[in-house]
CSV table of all heavy atoms in Angstrom, one decimal:
chain,number,residue,atom,x,y,z
F,115,LEU,N,-11.2,14.2,6.6
F,115,LEU,CA,-11.2,13.3,7.7
F,115,LEU,C,-11.2,14.0,9.0
F,115,LEU,O,-10.8,15.1,9.2
F,115,LEU,CB,-9.8,12.5,7.6
F,115,LEU,CG,-9.6,11.6,6.4
F,115,LEU,CD1,-8.2,10.9,6.5
F,115,LEU,CD2,-10.7,10.5,6.3
F,116,ASN,N,-11.7,13.2,10.0
F,116,ASN,CA,-11.8,13.7,11.4
F,116,ASN,C,-11.3,12.6,12.3
F,116,ASN,O,-11.4,11.4,12.0
F,116,ASN,CB,-13.2,14.0,11.8
F,116,ASN,CG,-13.3,14.5,13.2
F,116,ASN,OD1,-12.5,15.3,13.7
F,116,ASN,ND2,-14.3,14.0,13.9
F,117,ILE,N,-10.7,13.0,13.5
F,117,ILE,CA,-10.4,12.0,14.5
F,117,ILE,C,-11.2,12.3,15.7
F,117,ILE,O,-11.5,13.5,16.0
F,117,ILE,CB,-8.9,12.0,14.8
F,117,ILE,CG1,-8.5,10.8,15.7
F,117,ILE,CG2,-8.4,13.3,15.5
F,117,ILE,CD1,-7.1,10.4,15.7
F,118,HIS,N,-11.6,11.2,16.4
F,118,HIS,CA,-12.5,11.4,17.6
F,118,HIS,C,-12.1,10.4,18.7
F,118,HIS,O,-11.8,9.3,18.4
F,118,HIS,CB,-13.9,11.2,17.2
F,118,HIS,CG,-14.9,11.4,18.3
F,118,HIS,ND1,-15.2,12.7,18.8
F,118,HIS,CD2,-15.6,10.6,19.1
F,118,HIS,CE1,-16.0,12.6,19.8
F,118,HIS,NE2,-16.3,11.4,20.0
F,119,PRO,N,-12.1,10.8,20.0
F,119,PRO,CA,-11.5,10.0,21.0
F,119,PRO,C,-12.6,9.0,21.6
F,119,PRO,O,-12.8,8.9,22.8
F,119,PRO,CB,-11.1,11.0,22.1
F,119,PRO,CG,-12.0,12.1,21.9
F,119,PRO,CD,-12.3,12.2,20.5
F,120,SER,N,-13.2,8.3,20.7
F,120,SER,CA,-14.1,7.2,21.2
F,120,SER,C,-14.2,6.2,20.0
F,120,SER,O,-13.8,6.4,18.9
F,120,SER,CB,-15.5,7.7,21.5
F,120,SER,OG,-16.3,7.9,20.3
F,121,LEU,N,-14.8,5.0,20.4
F,121,LEU,CA,-15.1,4.0,19.4
F,121,LEU,C,-16.4,4.4,18.8
F,121,LEU,O,-17.5,3.9,19.2
F,121,LEU,CB,-15.1,2.6,20.0
F,121,LEU,CG,-13.7,2.1,20.5
F,121,LEU,CD1,-13.8,0.8,21.2
F,121,LEU,CD2,-12.7,2.0,19.3
F,122,LEU,N,-16.4,5.2,17.8
F,122,LEU,CA,-17.7,5.6,17.1
F,122,LEU,C,-18.4,4.4,16.5
F,122,LEU,O,-17.7,3.4,16.1
F,122,LEU,CB,-17.4,6.7,16.0
F,122,LEU,CG,-17.0,8.0,16.5
F,122,LEU,CD1,-16.5,8.9,15.3
F,122,LEU,CD2,-18.0,8.7,17.3
F,123,PRO,N,-19.7,4.3,16.5
F,123,PRO,CA,-20.6,5.5,16.7
F,123,PRO,C,-21.0,5.8,18.2
F,123,PRO,O,-21.8,6.6,18.4
F,123,PRO,CB,-21.9,5.0,16.0
F,123,PRO,CG,-21.9,3.5,16.1
F,123,PRO,CD,-20.4,3.1,16.0
F,124,SER,N,-20.3,5.1,19.2
F,124,SER,CA,-20.5,5.5,20.6
F,124,SER,C,-19.9,6.8,20.9
F,124,SER,O,-18.7,7.1,20.4
F,124,SER,CB,-19.9,4.4,21.5
F,124,SER,OG,-20.6,3.2,21.3
F,125,PHE,N,-20.5,7.6,21.7
F,125,PHE,CA,-20.0,8.8,22.3
F,125,PHE,C,-19.5,9.9,21.4
F,125,PHE,O,-18.3,10.3,21.5
F,125,PHE,CB,-18.9,8.4,23.3
F,125,PHE,CG,-19.3,7.3,24.2
F,125,PHE,CD1,-18.5,6.2,24.3
F,125,PHE,CD2,-20.5,7.3,24.9
F,125,PHE,CE1,-18.8,5.1,25.1
F,125,PHE,CE2,-20.8,6.2,25.7
F,125,PHE,CZ,-20.0,5.1,25.8
F,126,PRO,N,-20.3,10.3,20.4
F,126,PRO,CA,-19.9,11.5,19.6
F,126,PRO,C,-20.0,12.8,20.4
F,126,PRO,O,-20.5,12.7,21.5
F,126,PRO,CB,-20.9,11.5,18.4
F,126,PRO,CG,-22.1,10.8,19.1
F,126,PRO,CD,-21.6,9.8,20.1
F,127,GLY,N,-19.5,13.8,19.8
F,127,GLY,CA,-19.6,15.2,20.4
F,127,GLY,C,-18.5,15.4,21.4
F,127,GLY,O,-17.4,14.8,21.3
F,128,THR,N,-18.7,16.4,22.3
F,128,THR,CA,-17.7,16.8,23.2
F,128,THR,C,-17.6,15.8,24.4
F,128,THR,O,-18.5,15.1,24.7
F,128,THR,CB,-17.9,18.2,23.7
F,128,THR,OG1,-19.2,18.3,24.2
F,128,THR,CG2,-17.7,19.3,22.6
F,129,HIS,N,-16.5,15.8,25.1
F,129,HIS,CA,-16.3,15.0,26.3
F,129,HIS,C,-16.5,13.5,26.1
F,129,HIS,O,-17.2,12.8,26.9
F,129,HIS,CB,-17.2,15.5,27.4
F,129,HIS,CG,-17.0,17.0,27.6
F,129,HIS,ND1,-15.8,17.6,28.0
F,129,HIS,CD2,-17.9,18.0,27.6
F,129,HIS,CE1,-16.0,18.9,28.1
F,129,HIS,NE2,-17.2,19.2,27.8
F,130,ALA,N,-16.0,13.0,24.9
F,130,ALA,CA,-16.2,11.6,24.6
F,130,ALA,C,-15.6,10.7,25.7
F,130,ALA,O,-16.2,9.6,26.0
F,130,ALA,CB,-15.6,11.3,23.2
F,131,VAL,N,-14.4,11.0,26.2
F,131,VAL,CA,-13.7,10.2,27.1
F,131,VAL,C,-14.6,10.1,28.4
F,131,VAL,O,-14.8,9.1,29.0
F,131,VAL,CB,-12.3,10.7,27.4
F,131,VAL,CG1,-11.6,9.9,28.5
F,131,VAL,CG2,-11.5,10.6,26.1
Side-chain angles (χ1 to χ4, degrees):
L115 296 179
N116 179 44
I117 191 160
H118 184 72
S120 77
L121 293 174
L122 292 171
S124 295
F125 315 126
T128 51
H129 308 302
V131 175

